[in-house]
Amino acid sequence: MDQKSKIINNYKKKINFLKKHNKLYFNKDNPEITDSQYDDLKKEIFDLEKNNSFLKNLNLNQTVGSPPSNKFKKIKHLKPMLSLSNAFDKNDMKDFLSKINNFLNNKNKDIDFFAEPKIDGISATLVYEKGKLVRGLSRGDGTTGEDILSNLKTINKIPQKLEGNNIPHLLEIRGEIYIGKKDFNIIKSNFANPRNAAGGSLRQKNSNETSKIPLAYFAYGFGAVKPMVFKTQSEFLEKINEWGFSTNPLSKKVKNINEIDLQHSFVDSIRSTLDYDIDGLVYKVNDLKLQSRLGNTSNSPRWAIAYKFSAEKAVTKIKDIVIQVGRTGAITPVAKVEPITVGGVVVSNATLHNEDEIKRKDIRVGDTVQVQRAGDVIPQVVSVDISKRSKSSKKYIFPSKCLCGSITQKEINRSTKKEDAVRRCTKGYDCNFIAKEKLKHIVSKDSFNIDGLGKKVIDQFWELGLIKTPTDIFTINYNELKNLEGWGELSINNLKQAIDKAKNIELSSFIFSIGIRHIGQENAKILASFFKSIEKFINLFNETKRKKILENLVELDGIGKTQIDSINNFFLNNTNVEIVKKLIAKLKIKDFISKNKKGKFSNKIVMFTGGFEKMSRSEAKSLVENNGGKISGTVSKKLDILVIGNSKPTKRKIESAKKLNIKIVKEIEWYKILNL
């Protein structure tokens, strides 16, 4: 398994673990890991995305909250409640500022930011119509929340009728509900922590019970506003404070990395004296017009970030080093350590990432190491204390074989031309360790999403011989489950219903599920939009047809040589083809239906070459997609418009477009189309 696949495999594991703990955190208010461990997990995901740009094409990190429970009525937010990306040090913040300046093509002046303490509470939305509070929702999954209006009304300082000037007809306020430290001390015997107390109180069916809990809140943002009466985030908070909302007094306007870091350090130094828990500061671009230009990624705004406070670490000793095999064949070394408590959780395993990481840090059995809880099943080894190393210590020799006995190899990275850090087993489904991990991927939420068939159940069914291939999932003998511990009639029926439901699957989800290396969710969606139906997708089974298809895939923006080679290699493997064929025979795979937005570029394919004066290439692409268009990576007959920037356009692309009579738009005309 090459380094890139290992990174992707590691990244997906962390995303799945994040989803699990989001459900515990957002939906049940009963987290199994501490806030610092949760933050460390998000930091690991952030670092992986930061250092490996190809991960963003997978479009996996779009977890915002967790689906709302069935306890309350479900209502859609007027505007989605997005999650925030995280920064963990000054360099992360520099990267954040750099990305904003690059996106806006801003070169010469500082941008104003607004810093607000990040309260460790429960997010909620308040909707006002003509100044009257009419709805109150929990975050839910970010798109749909729970109707908790009656419980929110028990919080004294939440205004139910707004008084003042210039109040919008429609106002959607976002706030964080919490319990002060002093108040929590009075009731702490009944709850695990303040957040658990706040969340549990808001999910009481009887609002009289909620009224007994001393809940408080800070308003921090807005969703839908009609008409828009604010120009900046600071003006927004000032106005709503006048209208009766509680806003945080530590909020402050800053404008460069030094002021950002000073404010962060100051609040960090006084946070222990505050009557509420905070785990960092949120920095937002203050100008709302710039926020609008920057827009959002699939799950977080580009114009805001949470700059977290430091995570916890601990020191322990390595007893042994073992290897694990991932679904793409990546060989991951894991340190077995003497149990140590980190942030309230006992740790006995720590990831060592890969062979090169072990060599770089010179990690050995018997070493005293510093570990950092990263929120995953296992934390990571940060550093080795060489001074405490035994004289008899020996360098760790990384095994050359997979657990299945097959020789492993390192691939040559196409972009760097260097050998990847990760070793891989190349046996695919013929390696039992890989095959079992592939099954866990197939049943996961973003693939077939089969409730009741999680990782532990796959392990159990694998050992019993009930499931060995993907097709076995859909032909399982339910009678054999009746004698298994924990499998009663209800759980068996629930599993059967979940599997039957999973037989109807979207084309994009199916493509993602079969586990082609380098084909994540976003790439799978691009491929689904290209093939449209499973009937056209199965042409990949035929080598002659596949060659022609792969030539056409070059035109797709987001599908590069790495992805094309990976698709070809996948279908060159006869075992893969047979497994996919048998799986398709058990399913009803839905055709891809385009959900393009309507706008100036509806049904148009647009390509860019050269740099622009007023905006970045990223912003230009975003504008096309938000106006119903698609982006192409190559000039072909299918291209409708080639937009030429004034700075260093590619002459070859321009000449090709002219030969094909494609419409060419110069930069000045581009701005006229956009009314800029």
Side-chain angles (χ1 to χ4, degrees):
M1 182 182 286
D2 62 20
Q3 171 70 0
K4 187 172 181 180
S5 295
K6 194 274 183 177
I7 291 170
I8 292 172
N9 190 39
N10 187 33
Y11 177 69
K12 289 180 178 178
K13 285 182 179 179
K14 295 184 187 303
I15 293 296
N16 287 334
F17 197 74
L18 178 67
K19 290 176 180 177
K20 169 189 171 182
H21 286 285
N22 272 345
K23 185 173 183 180
L24 291 167
Y25 186 85
F26 290 107
N27 206 354
K28 298 184 178 180
D29 307 303
N30 190 26
E32 291 181 355
I33 59 175
T34 66
D35 289 345
S36 64
Q37 292 159 5
Y38 181 84
D39 289 341
D40 285 345
L41 170 60
K42 295 195 76 172
K43 182 182 187 304
E44 280 209 341
I45 292 171
F46 173 84
D47 286 344
L48 283 169
E49 292 176 339
K50 173 183 171 184
N51 297 323
N52 305 281
S53 58
F54 57 84
L55 291 176
K56 294 182 180 178
N57 292 330
L58 301 176
N59 198 28
L60 289 182
N61 193 2
Q62 51 185 327
T63 306
V64 183
S66 183
S69 69
N70 295 319
K71 192 173 181 180
F72 295 91
K73 180 182 177 183
K74 298 174 184 178
I75 300 178
K76 194 171 184 179
H77 295 293
L78 297 178
K79 283 193 174 181
M81 293 185 74
L82 299 178
S83 180
L84 290 171
S85 55
N86 291 329
F88 298 93
D89 55 35
K90 191 172 182 178
N91 287 331
D92 290 344
M93 286 302 296
K94 286 181 179 178
D95 287 344
F96 171 66
L97 298 185
S98 177
K99 287 177 181 177
I100 284 177
N101 286 322
N102 288 339
F103 191 95
L104 296 174
N105 205 19
N106 178 56
K107 300 174 182 177
N108 301 316
K109 64 178 183 178
D110 288 333
I111 293 175
D112 285 339
F113 289 85
F114 201 70
E116 305 167 35
K118 187 176 183 299
I119 311 301
D120 184 21
I122 305 295
S123 296
T125 284
L126 304 165
V127 179
Y128 293 82
E129 294 179 357
K130 296 182 180 180
K132 184 180 179 181
L133 178 60
V134 294
R135 281 192 299 283
L137 309 178
S138 67
R139 173 190 286 275
D141 61 4
T143 300
T144 302
E146 300 160 336
D147 181 3
I148 55 171
L149 177 61
S150 60
N151 291 339
L152 289 170
K153 283 183 174 182
T154 67
I155 303 174
N156 292 330
K157 291 188 177 180
I158 288 181
Q160 297 189 34
K161 177 70 177 176
L162 303 184
E163 302 291 342
N165 299 319
N166 209 22
I167 296 172
H169 298 303
L170 176 65
L171 179 64
E172 188 178 19
I173 295 289
R174 270 73 195 265
E176 197 78 4
I177 315 298
Y178 69 94
I179 293 179
K181 294 176 182 177
K182 293 178 182 177
D183 289 328
F184 179 70
N185 283 333
I186 300 172
I187 60 172
K188 64 181 181 181
S189 60
N190 299 320
F191 300 97
N193 53 58
R195 192 182 190 283
N196 175 267
S201 302
L202 287 175
R203 290 194 173 91
Q204 290 280 351
K205 289 295 287 183
N206 185 349
S207 59
N208 289 329
E209 293 299 315
T210 304
S211 66
K212 298 175 184 178
I213 306 298
L215 297 173
Y217 80 101
F218 283 120
Y220 63 81
F222 57 86
V225 180
K226 295 181 182 180
M228 175 56 73
V229 295
F230 320 111
K231 293 182 179 179
T232 63
Q233 174 70 12
S234 52
E235 181 189 1
F236 159 71
L237 288 178
E238 183 180 339
K239 285 282 188 184
I240 66 170
N241 189 254
E242 293 174 2
W243 297 339
F245 291 97
S246 296
T247 57
N248 197 293
L250 291 174
S251 300
K252 182 181 179 180
K253 189 159 67 174
V254 293
K255 65 179 180 180
N256 56 46
I257 188 61
N258 290 330
E259 291 186 10
I260 285 171
D261 215 45
L262 281 172
Q263 177 69 356
H264 186 264
S265 297
F266 166 70
V267 177
D268 192 8
S269 70
I270 66 167
R271 62 172 165 150
S272 61
T273 68
L274 302 175
D275 189 44
Y276 44 86
D277 290 322
I278 61 174
D279 54 7
L281 295 180
V282 176
Y283 289 88
K284 303 175 182 177
V285 171
N286 197 34
D287 189 318
L288 300 188
K289 284 187 177 179
L290 291 184
Q291 286 187 14
S292 179
R293 278 184 62 188
L294 287 161
N296 310 313
T297 63
S298 58
N299 68 309
S300 61
R302 292 191 183 92
W303 44 267
I305 196 167
Y307 188 178
K308 294 299 193 76
F309 298 131
S310 58
E312 295 185 59
K313 298 179 176 66
V315 174
T316 185
K317 199 169 188 176
I318 295 179
K319 298 189 297 182
D320 194 10
I321 297 176
V322 300
I323 63 171
Q324 296 177 344
V325 185
R327 72 175 178 86
T328 59
I331 307 298
T332 304
V334 175
K336 298 289 184 179
V337 302
E338 293 181 352
I340 184 72
T341 300
V342 186
V345 174
V346 177
V347 168
S348 57
N349 298 305
T351 181
L352 299 174
H353 299 296
N354 55 56
E355 182 179 5
D356 286 359
E357 184 76 354
I358 292 177
K359 289 179 179 178
R360 185 177 69 82
K361 294 178 179 176
D362 189 18
I363 299 170
R364 308 180 185 185
V365 174
D367 275 348
T368 297
V369 295
Q370 185 182 63
V371 296
Q372 176 175 295
R373 178 68 184 180
D376 208 338
V377 176
I378 51 178
Q380 61 179 331
V381 172
V382 179
S383 61
V384 177
D385 187 345
I386 303 294
S387 67
K388 295 182 179 179
R389 176 176 286 168
S390 168
K391 291 181 179 180
S392 61
S393 173
K394 295 181 180 180
K395 283 184 177 291
Y396 176 75
I397 306 300
F398 202 91
S400 60
K401 291 185 177 181
C402 173
L403 293 174
C404 72
S406 173
I407 295 294
T408 60
Q409 66 180 36
K410 292 185 177 183
E411 297 179 358
I412 301 299
N413 187 291
R414 179 179 293 278
S415 58
T416 65
K417 307 301 181 185
K418 295 181 180 179
E419 189 178 65
D420 284 335
V422 175
R423 285 191 175 275
R424 295 182 186 277
C425 173
T426 59
K427 300 292 280 188
Y429 275 102
D430 294 322
C431 168
N432 284 341
F433 298 92
I434 294 176
K436 184 164 66 171
E437 294 304 311
K438 284 181 176 291
L439 288 173
K440 293 176 183 178
H441 169 71
I442 283 173
V443 301
S444 66
K445 179 181 177 182
D446 296 316
S447 297
F448 282 90
N449 189 23
I450 302 177
D451 288 335
L453 201 57
K455 294 181 180 180
K456 291 183 179 179
V457 177
I458 289 292
D459 285 334
Q460 180 189 23
F461 286 6
W462 175 277
E463 295 302 322
L464 294 171
L466 295 174
I467 295 178
K468 290 290 186 178
T469 69
T471 309
D472 293 339
I473 295 170
F474 300 97
T475 59
I476 191 168
N477 186 339
Y478 296 102
N479 288 327
E480 294 187 37
L481 303 185
K482 293 179 180 179
N483 296 323
L484 299 180
E485 184 178 350
W487 286 94
E489 185 177 348
L490 179 60
S491 56
I492 291 173
N493 286 336
N494 287 341
L495 177 62
K496 185 179 185 303
Q497 289 177 15
I499 290 175
D500 287 343
K501 181 180 178 182
K503 290 179 181 178
N504 294 284
I505 188 170
E506 301 284 348
L507 179 60
S508 59
S509 297
F510 172 77
I511 294 172
F512 174 67
S513 76
I514 61 178
I516 304 173
R517 276 189 60 200
H518 307 300
I519 303 299
Q521 285 179 280
E522 189 61 30
N523 295 134
K525 290 176 184 176
I526 294 171
L527 292 174
S529 69
F530 173 83
F531 288 105
K532 304 294 185 185
S533 69
I534 191 63
E535 287 76 19
K536 291 182 179 178
F537 180 79
I538 61 177
N539 286 328
L540 288 170
F541 297 163
N542 181 286
E543 190 170 354
T544 303
K545 292 180 179 179
R546 183 168 67 248
K547 184 178 179 181
K548 186 174 182 181
I549 290 170
L550 296 181
E551 289 174 356
N552 291 329
L553 290 183
V554 176
E555 299 175 7
L556 301 180
D557 188 56
I559 301 294
K561 191 73 167 61
T562 298
Q563 287 77 23
I564 290 171
D565 286 348
S566 187
I567 293 169
N568 190 45
N569 290 335
F570 182 87
F571 289 105
L572 280 173
N573 184 302
N574 290 331
T575 303
N576 289 342
V577 172
E578 287 306 310
I579 284 174
V580 174
K581 279 183 178 179
K582 290 178 180 178
L583 184 58
I584 290 172
K586 298 293 180 183
L587 306 172
K588 182 178 180 181
I589 301 172
K590 303 173 187 176
D591 290 350
F592 177 83
I593 299 176
S594 177
K595 297 178 181 177
N596 282 346
K597 300 176 182 177
K598 293 184 179 180
K600 298 176 181 179
F601 303 106
S602 291
N603 302 316
K604 300 290 185 183
I605 298 176
V606 182
M607 183 178 173
F608 296 93
T609 182
F612 297 85
E613 292 295 325
K614 294 183 180 180
M615 64 182 62
S616 66
R617 182 81 65 86
S618 297
E619 185 175 5
K621 287 182 177 181
S622 180
L623 285 168
V624 169
E625 290 170 343
N626 289 337
N627 280 276
K630 292 183 178 180
I631 303 298
S632 176
T634 59
V635 177
S636 70
K637 292 180 180 179
K638 296 179 182 179
L639 186 66
D640 294 296
I641 303 170
L642 176 67
V643 184
I644 303 173
N646 290 337
S647 177
K648 299 179 180 179
T650 303
K651 292 181 180 179
R652 175 178 53 81
K653 293 178 180 178
I654 297 172
E655 292 303 317
S656 297
K658 287 180 179 178
K659 289 179 181 179
L660 294 171
N661 293 318
I662 291 165
K663 182 178 180 180
I664 295 176
V665 173
K666 294 184 178 180
E667 184 171 344
I668 189 169
E669 299 172 87
W670 168 249
Y671 296 138
K672 288 179 181 177
I673 293 173
L674 298 174
N675 296 321
L676 295 178

